[in-house]
Amino acid sequence: MELRVSDESLAGLRNGSLIAVDNLGRVLEVEVEFEHGVRVVTVEPHDSDIRRTPGPIASVSIRPAP
């Protein structure tokens, strides 16, 4: 899933002060790429979380890291 993230939130995701969590409560891996000059942020659950809590990502929230 691709999502829009502010520069401030992206900085927090990259330095570990924030995490991305989906509608099923799974902590998501965040990947940032630049394609043709456009920043693309992609998130997906860890493999173990997919097996333990299967289901599609319907929404994502950015939260402070525990």
Side-chain angles (χ1 to χ4, degrees):
M1 169 181 238
E2 292 181 13
L3 68 143
R4 293 180 187 260
V5 179
S6 70
D7 289 338
E8 184 178 288
S9 292
L10 181 59
L13 289 167
R14 294 177 101 180
N15 71 23
S17 64
L18 297 174
I19 58 172
V21 180
D22 73 0
N23 55 297
L24 298 174
R26 301 175 294 195
V27 175
L28 305 172
E29 295 178 13
V30 178
E31 182 179 327
V32 180
E33 298 178 324
F34 286 90
E35 296 179 5
H36 307 290
V38 175
R39 180 178 64 205
V40 177
V41 179
T42 306
V43 295
E44 63 181 38
H46 294 272
D47 288 339
S48 60
D49 284 340
I50 293 171
R51 287 189 296 277
R52 192 171 43 248
T53 311
I57 297 173
S59 62
V60 176
S61 61
I62 308 296
R63 300 180 185 169

